Amino acid sequence: MRILWTGVAALALTMPAAAQSLGDQVQQQMPSLMTIYKDLHANPELSFMEVRSAGILAAEARKLGFDVTEKVGGTGVVAVMKNGPGPVVLVRADMDGLPVTEQTGLPGASKVRVTTKEGVETGVMHACGHDTHMTSWIGTARLMAANKDKWSGTLVMIGQPAEERGAGARMMLEDGLYTRFPKPQYALAFHDAAQFPAAAIGYTPGYALANVDSVDILVKGVGGHGAYPQATKDPIVLASRIVTALQTLVSREISPLDSAVVTVGSFHAGAKHNIIPDEARLQLTVRSYTDEVRNHLLDGIARVAKGEAIAAGLPDDKLPVVSVEKDEFTPSTFNTPGFTEDMAAFLTTRFGDKRVIKMPPVMGGEDFGRFSRDDKDIKSLIIWVGGVPQAELDAAKKEGRTLPSLHSPFWAPDAPAVISTATEALTSMAIKLMPKG
Ligand SMILES: [Zn+2]
Ligand SMILES: [Zn+2]
């Protein structure tokens, strides 16, 4: 794909836009889109700080004739193009990078360093590929504007902040995304995919990504000398029991047919060999698909923590404090099943059945689900677009090598393949959903 596009672009320049296929129009845009991609890649911004990136999206959309509003839900961009009667289609790209120091060693790698709000100095990188999302958003905006004679309806394109903090979608909705701007019947997005062939499209009907909760447990105890444990209530032993008992939530209380994860990712207590501390702190990630399973897990964590503390003889005022980080909750992403199958069939006719592949759900999180979570009338779909050349996948498999995942400092997607595929997929789906006449 990398080699082909320049040739096609040269050919395309000699043809009138109307006569070109959508694929040709995408290829014609690719050199310019790659310039934008390289700029976005070299200048990543952390969640809530996507000012420069948002400015690039807003300026592009304005040039194309969209009605553009900035600073929606923080740094969010909303670009509306009204083009006659018909449905409202929302197309979303997220804009934030991650506090990861890029180690791909590629020319054009990010060298950006910042000090976070927490005071930690870190490199910044588009390690989740949101730079490919923004670039494809611009590609889609250009193609939708160039093909206005082929669709009728209202296109709402949004640049969303702070996906990595699970907050951006909620903030845009709370800032009036569906009251100040046309409310969609359809919501579309894509995410680049590691461990998936470049230029292939993955789709998952139904639950595609998980509910993600962050839970903190402060386990209180009574500290004292390590040689006199009888005079203490040891929070390390109690917290250890809690960690072990938590394992039975998923294995004994949730149906084996439902998906759930309770991982204790952090356990901190104590400072010295011979001192029993007076507290221990646990940090958990809790994942599920349905609301029922999520509520059961969160209630169960509180119940287990309290029950173990009572069993250890802690008084009421020293029971564990369990807090759920409400602001960082990412709800599960649900692809409307019939709609997803219809769109997958449509994409298959365009890209061929080798490039459109049904995928199992994953326990990762993505806040795109929020745009349709409270209104089941909104049909929603996020597709995956693969970013690893097939030869690289084959070689890694042969050598038993693990390829970098999303969020890895080594993640380097085949950007031209991702951007051209995503631009064509999003544009063709949007046109399909807003038929002319
Ligand atoms: Zn991510
Ligand atoms: Zn992401």
Side-chain angles (χ1 to χ4, degrees), residues 287-317:
R287 302 190 177 218
S288 55
Y289 289 121
T290 67
D291 288 347
E292 294 72 31
V293 171
R294 172 177 182 245
N295 292 334
H296 189 107
L297 294 176
L298 295 178
D299 292 348
I301 289 164
R303 171 170 46 84
V304 164
K306 184 179 173 187
E308 290 295 336
I310 291 170
L314 268 303
D316 280 358
D317 64 336

Side-chain angles (χ1 to χ4, degrees), residues 86-99:
V88 179
V89 175
L90 178 141
V91 176
R92 171 271 212 171
D94 39 9
M95 306 187 290
D96 49 339
L98 284 160

Side-chain angles (χ1 to χ4, degrees), residues 45-114:
E45 295 169 298
L46 289 178
S47 307
F48 304 114
M49 299 175 178
E50 310 89 337
V51 177
R52 183 179 184 276
S53 307
I56 290 170
L57 298 197
E60 276 285 336
R62 224 170 248 130
K63 254 193 307 194
L64 295 164
F66 283 79
D67 187 4
V68 178
T69 309
E70 293 178 76
K71 297 186 181 156
V72 180
T75 60
V77 177
V78 180
V80 179
M81 182 172 277
K82 289 189 173 146
N83 187 31
V88 179
V89 175
L90 178 141
V91 176
R92 171 271 212 171
D94 39 9
M95 306 187 290
D96 49 339
L98 284 160
V100 170
T101 303
E102 178 158 358
Q103 294 178 50
T104 60
L106 294 172
S110 166
K111 295 183 176 63
V112 173
R113 294 194 72 76
V114 298

